[in-house]
Amino acid sequence: MTNKEKYMAELRNQHPDDPEEFLEFCSVFHDYNKAKKYGDILYTCTTYADIANKAVRLMYINGDIDDTRAKSEKFLNLLMPLACLDTKGNGHAAVYHVKQMLDTTNAREERKRLEAERRKIWQASQKGANTQPTVPFSKIIIEITDPESMRLFIAFLQSAGTKFSVTENRFFHGLTATDRPKECIAIEEASPWLFRAFTDLQLHCPDAATWIYSFQSDWITRDGITLSETVELIQQELS
């Protein structure tokens, strides 16, 4: 059973009356309440433009999806059954409206402002606690399903003197083909190092695009994200 299958099974047990289409949508965020909030907005959408400007825009600004996922036909097809369209929805047709929204509105600027506000809140909490300010915490956790890829990546981390650990992680439940708990690599490093390393991964390691990432900091946690989303979050930490 894959991670998604296990999560979906748990959702079905907890919410047996919810339609399968909504549970599929929940699997994107791994957060039922967050998905419910977005689902309520999608229910008010009657056109592709509505979906782009009311629902996708908010998901993007909140940092729950990146540019790549926002413009993904596969992702948009998950949204179609939750909207009130006159005809059966088509993700391909909705892509145009999402691209137009990203290019003609201030969604990207709003996203950056929200991240900056979260950063300020964290900094204020440090001062309010009357403690010595600490360096913002950040960690990247990676599930690598291919043993050889994991071995090579560990060797790279060791040669770079990187702080990392290999452990079963709470974000990636499930079993391997041999019924052993899945192992993940947890990396805790300074953002400049992470940016250089993960940009290099994008350029020189095609397998890295198939891995599953989790990003954590003092003001944000994102699970089940892509490599491109991970790099974007690291960039935000450096801004």
Side-chain angles (χ1 to χ4, degrees), residues 109-168:
E109 288 73 22
E110 285 192 43
R111 178 183 172 113
K112 290 178 181 178
R113 282 199 296 270
L114 181 58
E115 292 291 352
E117 288 173 8
R118 289 171 176 165
R119 210 172 272 117
K120 287 180 181 178
I121 291 171
W122 177 84
Q123 291 169 342
S125 70
Q126 292 288 300
K127 294 178 181 178
N130 293 321
T131 58
Q132 184 68 27
T134 60
V135 176
F137 166 85
S138 61
K139 178 195 290 185
I140 292 176
I141 301 171
I142 314 169
E143 176 192 351
I144 305 175
T145 54
D146 177 58
E148 180 63 14
S149 293
M150 179 171 278
R151 185 188 68 79
L152 292 173
F153 193 54
I154 288 175
F156 163 73
L157 295 175
Q158 290 173 329
S159 66
T162 306
K163 295 174 287 186
F164 75 96
S165 60
V166 180
T167 181
E168 181 185 3

Side-chain angles (χ1 to χ4, degrees), residues 79-114:
L79 277 54
M80 298 301 140
L82 306 181
C84 291
L85 302 174
D86 292 332
T87 60
K88 183 179 179 180
N90 182 293
H92 179 73
V95 169
Y96 165 79
H97 296 276
V98 173
K99 289 181 177 178
Q100 187 178 49
M101 177 274 293
L102 291 172
D103 292 340
T104 62
T105 71
N106 61 347
R108 291 186 174 93
E109 288 73 22
E110 285 192 43
R111 178 183 172 113
K112 290 178 181 178
R113 282 199 296 270
L114 181 58

